Amino acid sequence: MGNTWISRAETGADIPAVRDINLAAFPTPAEADLVDALRADPAAWVEGLSLVAVDEADRPVGHALLTRCHIGTAPALALAPCAVRPELQRTGAGTAAIHAALAAARARGEHHVVVLGHPAYYPRFGFTRASDHGIRLTVDVPDDALMALSLDAGRPLPGGTVHYAAAFGI
């Protein structure tokens, strides 16, 4: 398919494929189980913010998930997990799914997103070091691994501790 991917919101029919993507992309089932637990948590799940990148046959090959969290008391979204079938990694499928997820969040009027991930990857989407905004976790992580993004230039990132959905265990 090259580097052009179509992304769309997950449908009920995509749930098994999303699980398979996460099982294939990670060394343990922890991320696939996390997606299932988040999907079952009405306080975390935000309909329309589980996005898939699909191939020519409309089969999901990449996945990006945004779920409810808080920075201090301010509502925000957590980007995690993000996954691509191993044979299609580095083709742009993950980038397409993440861009689509962030666009869907903006369209819903969401304002802030946090991600705990690879510091060399997420800045391409506009994420910056969270500690520069006074954002922190209750657990120790490398300072450059926790990043944040404001989806609305008129709403600067709030400071405070990130409170993830219970399924994250943080």
Side-chain angles (χ1 to χ4, degrees):
M1 177 166 222
N3 291 333
T4 303
W5 294 97
I6 295 171
S7 297
R8 59 171 174 74
E10 165 191 293
T11 67
D14 296 325
I15 291 171
V18 167
R19 182 166 177 81
D20 288 345
I21 290 166
N22 281 282
L23 287 170
F26 294 102
T28 73
E31 283 79 4
D33 293 345
L34 174 61
V35 173
D36 291 343
L38 290 167
R39 191 179 281 115
D41 180 353
W45 192 258
V46 182
E47 197 61 41
L49 295 185
S50 179
L51 282 287
V52 292
V54 298
D55 66 13
E56 306 90 358
D58 198 42
R59 288 181 301 241
V61 299
H63 177 242
L65 179 61
L66 290 166
T67 54
R68 180 65 60 213
C69 71
H70 289 81
I71 302 171
T73 59
L77 297 169
L79 176 59
C82 299
V84 175
R85 295 199 60 76
E87 68 274 14
L88 293 169
Q89 290 175 357
R90 302 193 188 287
T91 65
T95 296
I98 293 169
H99 276 302
L102 295 173
R106 271 189 197 93
R108 294 181 61 88
E110 296 288 344
H111 303 294
H112 308 100
V113 181
V114 294
V115 65
L116 182 58
H118 297 288
Y121 183 73
Y122 291 97
R124 73 182 71 184
F125 304 101
F127 286 92
T128 59
R129 189 183 303 241
S131 63
D132 291 346
H133 306 281
I135 299 170
R136 61 196 172 282
L137 292 177
T138 58
V139 296
D140 288 331
V141 298
D143 186 54
D144 58 353
L146 181 63
M147 293 163 272
L149 169 68
S150 177
L151 296 172
D152 178 350
R155 298 228 184 181
L157 288 160
T161 301
V162 178
H163 302 282
Y164 284 94
F168 282 99
I170 297 178

